[in-house]
Amino acid sequence: MSDNGRTPVDFWFDPLCPWAWMTSRWMLEVEKVRDVEVRWHVMSLAVLNEDRLDELPEEYREGLKDAWAPVRVVAAARELHGDEVVGPLYTALGTRFHNEGRGSGRDTIADALKDAGLPAELIDYADRDTYDTEVRASHQEGIEKVGQEVGTPVIAVPGADGEQIAFFGPVVTPAPQGEAAARLWDGTLLVASTPGFFEIKRTRTADPDFTNL
């Protein structure tokens, strides 16, 4: 339980991942209808895939070249301005990357920093490895909770006896809102509290749908 009495939910994301974006918007809906508080953490698709680049399609490999800049800026913002800026900055970045389709260039990241009320000079960390150790540590913290066979998002929720249980996902499109968001959350807690539960999965047959965001 957090200091304000709300149940903490830890959420690991890479700003470039559209599926993590969908899940994050669902969690913001859950905050409205259940007594929970999301704590945001970065993970990195570049770090996740760095040891298996030869196995990835060329288009995906090319996309990973752009993955460091947003994560580095988020990490710098957290280190220099505190945990509380991570969520608003993620919202500003994700809205531009995914809802608006503006790409992840420096101009887009700079606009997101302005929207989040953060100093413009944080954009300089996009090309610096100053906080790469912190990025890797945050990434590893999330992966260690859930295992190596997954990607982003990772969420850690209350399980049996109050112990946190981590999952990849839930992967969903579009992001549920209102009571639908609450039902999915209640179901997530239900499976998390079931000893020995590991996985439910089916093939994705739809692309990320941002029309209700």
Side-chain angles (χ1 to χ4, degrees):
M1 197 72 66
S2 63
D3 292 341
N4 60 14
R6 308 184 78 186
T7 299
V9 179
D10 290 291
F11 191 110
W12 282 263
F13 66 93
D14 185 307
L16 285 186
C17 178
W19 295 105
W21 177 245
M22 301 299 296
T23 307
S24 73
R25 300 310 92 180
W26 162 66
M27 277 308 314
L28 290 183
E29 282 291 308
V30 174
E31 281 191 322
K32 299 175 185 177
V33 293
R34 293 292 185 267
D35 198 21
V36 303
E37 178 180 42
V38 183
R39 302 186 297 200
W40 305 99
H41 312 273
V42 292
M43 61 186 298
S44 168
L45 290 171
V47 172
L48 182 72
N49 292 288
E50 63 185 355
D51 293 330
R52 59 188 192 97
L53 291 176
D54 293 342
E55 305 170 17
L56 301 174
E58 182 177 356
E59 182 179 358
Y60 193 85
R61 290 200 305 271
E62 288 299 312
L64 289 177
K65 294 179 181 178
D66 299 324
W68 272 107
V71 166
R72 282 171 165 166
V73 171
V74 173
R78 177 187 179 276
E79 292 299 318
L80 298 174
H81 299 281
D83 290 335
E84 64 274 10
V85 306
V86 176
L89 180 55
Y90 179 30
T91 290
L93 289 168
T95 299
R96 287 160 175 78
F97 294 168
H98 306 298
N99 296 12
E100 300 173 6
R102 291 179 52 186
S104 57
R106 288 177 65 95
D107 288 347
T108 305
I109 297 172
D111 284 348
L113 287 168
K114 182 179 180 180
D115 190 38
L118 289 164
E121 56 266 26
L122 284 171
I123 189 62
D124 294 335
Y125 289 93
D127 302 316
R128 297 177 184 172
D129 63 2
T130 308
Y131 296 111
D132 282 9
T133 297
E134 287 75 11
V135 170
R136 290 179 179 277
S138 180
H139 175 92
Q140 190 61 27
E141 181 185 12
I143 287 295
E144 284 181 351
K145 289 179 179 293
V146 73
Q148 297 293 330
E149 299 85 13
V150 303
T152 173
V154 169
I155 64 171
V157 305
D161 302 322
E163 179 183 359
Q164 273 198 329
I165 300 294
F167 294 111
F168 164 64
V171 175
V172 61
T173 185
Q177 298 180 337
E179 185 56 30
R183 287 196 301 269
L184 179 56
W185 171 251
D186 294 342
T188 301
L189 292 185
L190 178 62
V191 297
S193 65
T194 303
F197 174 83
F198 291 102
E199 184 174 12
I200 292 176
K201 189 171 184 179
R202 65 174 179 160
T203 300
R204 298 177 198 171
T205 58
D207 293 329
D209 179 355
F210 310 123
T211 55
N212 67 344
L213 300 179

